[in-house]
């Protein structure tokens, strides 16, 4: 049977932190969790937009400022959560940027790698000890982790020859490798699990930074190959709340090419399972962010 929002169990008493929750997939994820009883924290870069999003949701929803492109902001957000919450049940690393022109974060990292991977890596490490028993860390990847994707250790910040498509693919591959390595570490320390998800091809604001040709064709192609954000959020939601989920699994749409459909367990690229690269990426990420995980 197709898994839908109706299959979300009662989330009363649970705390969920959703990054990038003011729009698109993050909004739909947060909305659904709040409607099913969770206390949801919208961790967003723009607090005003976050408040506007919260006002459209039903349930216990609060807003916290988090700019994943700034390690200072990441540390401040983590410290703020400690002041307001004794524990977290769901950490959903959803926020991201896609196909941006060559830019750097406040800390000098290439924007897509710095925001999509390093920002979430640091944020997760800084709040990990707030996670309660039977909690989950869900990190959102993309089908683009297969497109010209590799971890370019010789030029992680794309200082020599920048490709917005390949840089995005690297960041989404890094999301997966982070999940797999985190799960191995968590498995030795209790019942928290790490899971990954991807939304297929969803019609969200991320396309605004796509190459001009893609933006021009989007109105024609979107109805054929994309799905609504509410559908794109289902793999994340299932990874977060389905009692049958196992640590290290990857959820995505069940349709052709995993572009759209209902959520199921899917396989990631062969490269994503490279243990040596996962461990090297973890070490490099700790060095770049200065965040050491308590596992």
């Amino acid at each position: 049977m197709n898994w839908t929002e109706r299959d979300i169990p009662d989330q009363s008493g649970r705390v969920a932190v959703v990054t990038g929750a003011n729009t698109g997939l993050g909004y739909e994820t947060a909305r659904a969790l709040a409607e099913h009883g969770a206390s949801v924290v919208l961790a967003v870069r723009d607090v005003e937009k976050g408040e506007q999003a919260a006002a459209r949701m039903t349930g216990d929803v609060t807003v916290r400022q988090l700019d994943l492109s700034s390690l200072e902001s990441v540390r401040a957000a983590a410290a703020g959560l400690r002041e307001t919450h004794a524990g977290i049940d769901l950490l959903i690393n959803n926020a991201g940027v896609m196909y941006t022109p060559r830019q750097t974060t406040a800390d000098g990292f290439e924007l897509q790698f710095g925001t999509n991977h390093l920002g979430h890596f640091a944020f997760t490490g800084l709040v990990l000890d707030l996670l309660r028993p039977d909690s989950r860390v869900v990190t959102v990847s993309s089908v683009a982790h297969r497109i010209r994707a590799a971890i370019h250790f010789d030029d992680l910040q794309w200082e020599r020859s920048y490709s917005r498509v390949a840089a995005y693919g690297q960041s989404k591959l890094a999301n997966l490798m982070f999940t797999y390595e985190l799960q191995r570490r968590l498995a030795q320390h209790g019942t928290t699990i790490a899971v990954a998800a991807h939304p297929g091809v969803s019609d969200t604001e991320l396309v605004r930074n796509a190459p001009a040709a893609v933006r021009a064709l989007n109105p024609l192609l979107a109805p054929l190959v994309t799905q609504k954000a509410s559908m794109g959020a289902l793999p994340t939601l299932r990874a977060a709340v389905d009692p049958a989920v196992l640590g290290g699994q990857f959820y995505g749409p069940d349709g052709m090419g995993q572009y759209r459909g209902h959520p199921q367990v899917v396989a990631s690229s062969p490269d994503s399972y490279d243990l040596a690269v996962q461990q090297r990426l973890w070490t490099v990420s700790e060095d770049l962010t200065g965040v050491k995980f308590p596992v």
Side-chain angles (χ1 to χ4, degrees), residues 259-280:
Y259 288 170
R260 53 185 179 179
H262 290 84
Q264 67 175 11
V265 176
V266 297
S268 55
S269 68
D271 288 344
S272 69
Y273 297 110
D274 189 315
L275 179 61
V277 176
Q278 292 169 15
Q279 294 175 338
R280 184 180 179 188

Side-chain angles (χ1 to χ4, degrees), residues 17 19 66 68 71 74-75 77-78 81-82 88 90-94 116-131 136-140 175 178-179 182-183 186 192-195 282 289 291-295:
V17 178
T19 70
L66 169 64
L68 289 161
L71 290 177
V74 169
R75 292 182 182 279
L81 278 174
R82 292 183 177 284
I88 299 170
L90 296 174
L91 172 58
I92 299 180
N93 293 324
N94 162 84
N116 299 350
H117 169 60
L118 292 175
H120 279 127
F121 179 93
F123 188 57
T124 302
L126 291 168
V127 302
L128 194 65
D129 59 354
L130 285 179
L131 293 176
R136 297 182 187 181
V137 178
V138 180
T139 300
V140 179
N175 288 152
F178 164 60
T179 297
L182 177 60
Q183 172 57 29
L186 290 172
T192 296
I193 62 173
V195 192
W282 186 282
T289 62
V291 174
K292 304 293 183 182
F293 278 58
V295 294

Side-chain angles (χ1 to χ4, degrees), residues 62-134:
T62 57
V63 178
R64 178 161 299 282
Q65 203 276 337
L66 169 64
D67 181 355
L68 289 161
S69 69
S70 164
L71 290 177
E72 180 181 4
S73 176
V74 169
R75 292 182 182 279
L81 278 174
R82 292 183 177 284
E83 295 175 357
T84 56
H85 293 80
I88 299 170
D89 300 281
L90 296 174
L91 172 58
I92 299 180
N93 293 324
N94 162 84
V97 293
M98 184 175 81
Y99 297 163
T100 56
R102 176 69 167 81
Q103 300 174 59
T104 56
T105 69
D107 305 282
F109 308 133
E110 185 275 316
L111 184 63
Q112 296 184 89
F113 185 71
T115 300
N116 299 350
H117 169 60
L118 292 175
H120 279 127
F121 179 93
F123 188 57
T124 302
L126 291 168
V127 302
L128 194 65
D129 59 354
L130 285 179
L131 293 176
R132 294 168 170 155
D134 300 315

Side-chain angles (χ1 to χ4, degrees), residues 175-257:
N175 288 152
L176 276 168
M177 291 187 151
F178 164 60
T179 297
Y180 296 153
E181 179 62 19
L182 177 60
Q183 172 57 29
R184 265 192 300 277
R185 292 166 180 254
L186 290 172
Q188 305 174 48
H189 296 277
T191 56
T192 296
I193 62 173
V195 192
H198 81 82
V201 183
S202 298
D203 191 9
T204 70
E205 293 181 2
L206 279 179
V207 76
R208 66 183 179 273
N209 290 315
V214 175
R215 295 198 306 273
L217 290 173
N218 188 61
L220 298 175
L221 295 178
L224 301 177
V225 300
T226 69
Q227 59 186 357
K228 293 181 180 179
S230 57
M231 279 294 294
L234 289 181
T236 300
L237 287 165
R238 186 170 190 180
V241 303
D242 187 337
V245 169
L246 301 176
Q249 288 183 320
F250 184 31
Y251 282 80
D254 61 2
M256 185 174 63

Side-chain angles (χ1 to χ4, degrees), residues 19-48:
T19 70
N22 63 295
T23 188
L25 300 169
Y27 175 88
E28 296 296 342
T29 301
R31 173 196 57 75
L33 291 171
E35 288 179 359
H36 285 81
S39 297
V40 181
V41 178
L42 312 185
V44 298
R45 183 178 59 82
D46 188 320
V47 172
E48 182 178 354

